[in-house]
Amino acid sequence: MGMDSLSILTPTKPITTSPVTSEEDPTNPSTALLSSSSTSTISSSSSSTFSHKPTTTILFIALALITCIAVAASIAFAFLFFASINTPKSSNSIESIARPLVKLKSPVVLLISSDGFRFGYQFKTPTPNIGRLIANGTEAETGLIPVFPTLTFPNHYSIVTGLYPAYHGIINNYFNDPITGEGFSMKSHESHWWLGEPLWQTVVNHGLIASTYFWPGSEVIKGSWNCPEKFCQQYNGSVPFDDRVDTVLGYFDLPSNEIPSFMTLYFEDPDHQGHKVGPDDPEITEAVANIDRVIGKLIQGLEKRGIFEDVNIIMVGDHGMVGTCDKKLVFVEDLAPWIDIPASWIQSYTPLLSIKPPAGVSASDVVAKMMEGLRSGKVKNGMRLKMYLKKDLPDRLHYFESDRIPPIIGLVEEGFKVEQKTSKRQECGGAHGYDNAFFSMRTIFIGHGPQFARGRKVPSFENVQIYNMVTSILKIQGASNNGTASFAKSVLLQTP
């Protein structure tokens, strides 16, 4: 079925989530008030002696005892009072109602992407600002699940359309149109490539203002979105991160009726470093620390304007990262004894091997012969690559319903790569694009603001759910998508 129309959209199974619960806090031990039950026995001789004391002495002792008891009671009361203040609230008292806006006139969503921010990077180095968003917001506890393939353009566009790549049309970072042969690249801004309805278009459709600062697809003039000069930045990777933050903060200085209701903000790091050195290099740690710093700059700017608690910040990544080295390679030329696969048949090599044989060549035969060679034990790392007809790919990948997807897809194991022929080129870096079931491909999701509960953890979910979250916060009707409205409601606080 073709991708020229969104009529191919079919409902997907809702991603169910278990209710967020937490163990009840143990009751703090309380300090008992001083007991007044102790008594003493006074002997007759003592009593006789005591009866001869002056009356003033008796009064003094009585007053002293009363004073001691009063002081002790006061101390005990104070202890219990402050202990009760410091006792965490139980899970039964978790927020359920969105907090009211204090300064902004209407809801605002700021969607931030840190490209290639693998889940767990936040633990590599102190990240006090990201940590602040997490502690006072809602986090996907074990990370955000990207769509397949776990590549930059397909995932960024899935986040803002709520559609899997087979439905929004951006099925890879690079691919060819099966009919015209025209090639798509990350510089392609013609609207016919970009299907679905991105959030900036949805927002404008409802009479609101949207702004985009470097987001794949945002420069595409499509429908009601004309990429206005004031609110649509043309991609330029050399613009310092601080300048990007300053521009976004400047939008909040506009008159209230001119502040965009939806904003995007994009950072290339730590993806840039991850490809060069892999996920475990000190360079990644430095990049993560810098992302945290610019998030801190953003927070400070919002606080200075008195609107930090009013803005709904959604911070995500598009995918994770895994280390790769030369020993983890599969070479297509090694299959020559079974079948010759010319480079002209291949649209992408790794980690997603996409093959489109010419007319007259059976795709089924190609897959069968390739698998025979890969399983023979005579192809280096052959068992690490598995070939599929696209119709036979696991349903969970949602990677079938588009003519743009080549008929043959190869999935390579985590950390392995595919190349045409053996070379002496040395590589030990990082990659992504693998099966989204690999934990290394997970990224982050943090929601902070009036619509997100403080300190809440939710189960991992796919990024196609974010579109409905944004439309729910802005109280607008979204376009048809692969997410579920019920999931968005389960994550967000309810509007009173």
Side-chain angles (χ1 to χ4, degrees):
M1 190 177 296
M3 279 300 303
D4 295 330
S5 169
L6 283 180
S7 61
I8 60 172
L9 283 176
T10 55
T12 58
K13 294 181 180 179
I15 300 175
T16 57
T17 59
S18 57
V20 177
T21 60
S22 61
E23 294 182 2
E24 292 188 0
D25 298 302
T27 303
N28 281 355
S30 59
T31 304
L33 292 174
L34 294 176
S35 173
S36 60
S37 62
S38 59
T39 59
S40 61
T41 304
I42 303 175
S43 65
S44 59
S45 59
S46 299
S47 178
S48 173
T49 305
F50 184 79
S51 64
H52 294 289
K53 298 291 185 181
T55 304
T56 53
T57 303
I58 297 173
L59 290 174
F60 176 81
I61 294 173
L63 287 172
L65 288 172
I66 292 171
T67 301
C68 290
I69 293 171
V71 170
S74 298
I75 293 172
F77 177 81
F79 177 85
L80 291 172
F81 176 78
F82 286 107
S84 66
I85 289 177
N86 293 323
T87 301
K89 294 180 180 179
S90 71
S91 59
N92 293 329
S93 61
I94 193 168
E95 294 171 285
S96 60
I97 303 299
R99 297 179 291 279
L101 299 179
V102 175
K103 192 170 181 179
L104 292 178
K105 301 297 183 183
S106 56
V108 171
V109 175
L110 172 54
L111 178 62
I112 304 171
S113 170
S114 179
D115 199 322
F117 198 115
R118 173 174 166 170
F119 180 77
Y121 277 0
Q122 67 269 37
F123 307 121
K124 278 184 163 292
T125 186
T127 51
N129 300 298
I130 294 173
R132 181 178 175 185
L133 296 180
I134 293 172
N136 295 294
T138 297
E139 179 193 26
E141 190 167 18
T142 52
L144 181 67
I145 303 171
V147 296
F148 178 82
T150 52
L151 297 169
T152 297
F153 268 49
N155 273 275
H156 274 95
Y157 205 52
S158 284
I159 290 169
V160 295
T161 61
L163 299 170
Y164 293 111
Y167 298 101
H168 65 53
I170 310 303
I171 55 102
N172 206 320
N173 287 341
Y174 302 91
F175 58 92
N176 294 325
D177 184 284
I179 299 175
T180 66
E182 180 185 4
F184 172 88
S185 74
M186 292 186 284
K187 295 182 179 179
S188 299
H189 297 147
E190 299 82 10
S191 61
H192 68 269
W193 292 113
W194 305 82
L195 309 179
E197 183 178 291
L199 277 165
W200 44 82
Q201 185 178 346
T202 302
V203 168
V204 172
N205 284 348
H206 288 79
L208 303 176
I209 299 173
S211 68
T212 57
Y213 209 123
F214 302 170
W215 199 280
S218 63
E219 297 172 59
V220 177
I221 297 174
K222 185 172 180 290
S224 59
W225 177 253
N226 61 359
C227 190
E229 183 178 352
K230 183 177 180 180
F231 292 122
C232 178
Q233 304 296 323
Q234 302 292 313
Y235 182 72
N236 179 356
S238 66
V239 177
F241 291 176
D242 290 67
D243 291 357
R244 305 180 194 189
V245 170
D246 286 337
T247 298
V248 169
L249 288 173
Y251 293 146
F252 291 101
D253 296 329
L254 296 170
S256 59
N257 62 339
E258 295 180 22
I259 298 175
S261 298
F262 173 70
M263 309 178 189
T264 71
L265 178 58
Y266 170 80
F267 304 115
E268 290 86 354
D269 294 350
D271 182 74
H272 175 69
Q273 295 82 1
H275 281 291
K276 292 194 303 179
V277 298
D280 301 315
D281 192 269
E283 195 171 331
I284 290 291
T285 305
E286 295 173 9
V288 170
N290 189 49
I291 289 295
D292 185 75
R293 181 190 64 79
V294 295
I295 294 300
K297 177 183 176 71
L298 174 70
I299 292 173
Q300 290 170 10
L302 294 174
E303 285 184 321
K304 181 180 178 181
R305 291 162 174 81
I307 56 174
F308 176 52
E309 293 297 337
D310 277 4
V311 178
N312 291 283
I313 297 173
I314 297 177
M315 183 176 179
V316 299
D318 53 345
H319 53 70
M321 186 71 65
V322 70
T324 59
C325 284
D326 282 338
K327 292 181 179 179
K328 294 183 176 182
L329 289 174
V330 181
F331 300 106
V332 175
E333 71 172 5
D334 289 347
L335 291 170
W338 294 270
I339 184 172
D340 180 32
I341 307 291
S344 60
W345 291 14
I346 299 177
Q347 292 199 5
S348 68
Y349 280 96
T350 193
L352 179 69
L353 178 60
S354 301
I355 300 176
K356 184 184 179 184
V361 176
S362 168
S364 296
D365 288 347
V366 172
V367 170
K369 291 177 181 178
M370 290 184 72
M371 286 304 298
E372 182 182 353
L374 293 170
R375 291 170 176 167
S376 68
K378 299 178 181 179
V379 175
K380 181 181 178 181
N381 296 321
M383 296 301 290
R384 307 294 185 176
L385 174 64
K386 187 172 183 180
M387 304 305 302
Y388 295 86
L389 292 172
K390 71 174 181 180
K391 68 180 181 63
D392 295 330
L393 284 167
D395 291 343
R396 62 181 174 79
L397 297 179
H398 304 281
Y399 203 65
F400 165 68
E401 201 66 65
S402 173
D403 291 339
R404 295 177 181 179
I405 300 173
I408 300 173
I409 300 294
L411 300 183
V412 68
E413 285 189 17
E414 183 180 26
F416 285 79
K417 301 182 76 173
V418 179
E419 293 186 1
Q420 181 70 23
K421 55 181 65 177
T422 306
S423 69
K424 294 182 180 180
R425 180 172 60 87
Q426 296 297 308
E427 177 198 341
C428 207
H432 54 89
Y434 299 91
D435 189 333
N436 62 352
F438 293 138
F439 197 82
S440 61
M441 294 297 101
R442 289 196 185 182
T443 181
I444 57 170
F445 171 88
I446 307 164
H448 181 282
Q451 293 277 173
F452 294 97
R454 301 181 192 275
R456 187 182 181 198
K457 306 295 183 185
V458 297
S460 294
F461 59 91
E462 286 189 310
N463 62 23
V464 292
Q465 301 288 359
I466 293 174
Y467 178 92
N468 287 334
M469 285 187 206
V470 175
T471 57
S472 294
I473 293 172
L474 298 180
K475 303 174 185 177
I476 58 178
Q477 179 62 48
S480 297
N481 63 86
N482 296 125
T484 56
S486 60
F487 181 84
K489 290 180 180 178
S490 73
V491 173
L492 300 173
L493 296 175
Q494 301 304 304
T495 303

